[in-house]
Amino acid sequence: MTGKIEKTVVVTGGSRGIGRAICLAFAKPGTHLFFNYHSEKSSAAETGKMVEKAGGKATFLKVNVAKEKEVAQFLKKVVDTTGRLDVLVNNAGITSDGLLVRMKEEQWNKIIDVNLKGTFNCMKFAAKPMMKQRYGRIINPSSNVGVSGNPGQANYVASKAGIIGLTKAAAKELASRNITVNAVAPGYVATDMTRNLTDKAKEAMLSRIPLKRAAQPEDVAATVIFLASKGADYITGQVIHVSGGMYM
């Protein structure tokens, strides 16, 4: 990509699925997109190529969002490279399901560390340059289950509910600096994570969705793009459900 960089965007967990769709939705001339991967460098490289093909500039790095030092170095590189940070999308997330009474401590800790602590780490270090420039858009993908609960996912539900609370607290703290903070709560999305569900489980999910289809990653990405746009300048501290009516 050639030309002046007008917008700097960071997307965590951008190598595949919803994260890749978000990266591609932002990909256009004038945008420098930074995203991280944790283990799948080949998938990250593919996302990077797709972003460049769409006209954007892409930089991807291996970063564990649960590690404060790695996040601090990542976001410092972003600001050192472009001089600013306009949009942060905290998409990185994992699951490790199990019944409450059988859940191992490491299962709990890993999910909370990546999903909730990782979101906190990125917000903490992104907020500083955003406050200095008196502008920023932070979008935190949560989940329907963070509001409704879900059996067998106590750790994941707690992490996603925590993200909603974190979003609301940060929205109140940062509003005076023209920084909005919102959450997006997808329902059943057709990704690698959900493709492994049994047909019976998929049918049960679809039966609860008034629109009678699973979301595509692009449906979630479109909502993220809106929340980062001029049209959403007066929206902050909100949870936008992208669930086909699954949660009302």
Side-chain angles (χ1 to χ4, degrees):
M1 186 193 78
T2 58
K4 182 181 177 181
I5 296 299
E6 299 170 353
K7 179 180 286 188
T8 301
V9 178
V10 172
V11 179
T12 67
S15 62
R16 58 193 178 91
I18 294 173
R20 174 178 285 179
I22 292 170
C23 288
L24 293 178
F26 277 111
K28 63 180 181 180
T31 297
H32 191 154
L33 181 73
F34 293 81
F35 65 96
N36 79 299
Y37 70 96
H38 186 247
S39 58
E40 297 186 9
K41 185 175 181 179
S42 60
S43 294
E46 183 63 25
T47 299
K49 290 178 182 178
M50 295 169 77
V51 169
E52 299 270 355
K53 186 175 181 180
K57 181 174 176 59
T59 299
F60 60 92
L61 296 167
K62 184 175 183 179
V63 179
N64 181 349
V65 296
K67 302 295 184 182
E68 182 181 84
K69 185 176 180 180
E70 291 188 29
V71 172
Q73 291 172 340
F74 175 42
L75 292 179
K76 183 179 186 301
K77 178 178 176 60
V78 171
V79 177
D80 286 349
T81 301
T82 68
R84 60 184 300 109
L85 172 51
D86 300 289
V87 182
L88 167 67
V89 185
N90 287 301
N91 175 72
I94 59 173
T95 60
S96 182
D97 298 346
L99 294 175
L100 178 69
V101 296
R102 295 177 182 173
M103 187 170 289
K104 296 178 181 179
E105 183 178 9
E106 56 263 33
Q107 280 181 282
W108 174 269
N109 289 343
K110 185 175 181 179
I111 301 308
I112 297 299
D113 279 354
V114 173
N115 296 4
L116 183 54
K117 183 184 174 185
T119 297
F120 164 76
N121 284 339
C122 293
M123 289 174 66
K124 175 182 177 180
F125 290 102
K128 293 177 182 179
M130 287 180 174
M131 290 172 70
K132 186 175 181 180
Q133 66 197 23
R134 303 188 77 82
Y135 176 85
R137 299 292 176 259
I138 299 174
I139 300 107
N140 297 325
S142 177
S143 172
N144 258 17
V145 301
V147 180
S148 66
N150 202 40
Q153 288 191 310
N155 50 1
Y156 184 75
V157 170
S159 73
K160 293 300 186 178
I163 285 172
I164 290 172
L166 177 60
T167 295
K168 291 177 180 291
K172 290 188 174 183
E173 283 191 26
L174 301 174
S176 64
R177 299 300 182 95
N178 192 31
I179 301 168
T180 63
V181 189
N182 291 287
V184 176
Y188 173 28
V189 185
T191 63
D192 291 344
M193 191 180 293
T194 57
R195 287 190 187 98
N196 293 327
L197 294 172
T198 65
D199 289 341
K200 185 177 180 180
K202 291 177 183 178
E203 289 172 8
M205 285 273 206
L206 289 171
S207 71
R208 296 165 51 200
I209 302 174
L211 288 180
K212 299 301 179 186
R213 70 169 178 87
Q216 297 300 314
E218 290 74 18
D219 294 317
V220 181
T223 304
V224 170
I225 289 294
F226 168 69
L227 289 172
S229 74
K230 179 70 176 174
D233 279 358
Y234 201 60
I235 299 173
T236 195
Q238 302 305 302
V239 183
I240 310 299
H241 289 267
V242 185
S243 65
M246 190 179 195
Y247 179 87
M248 293 189 186

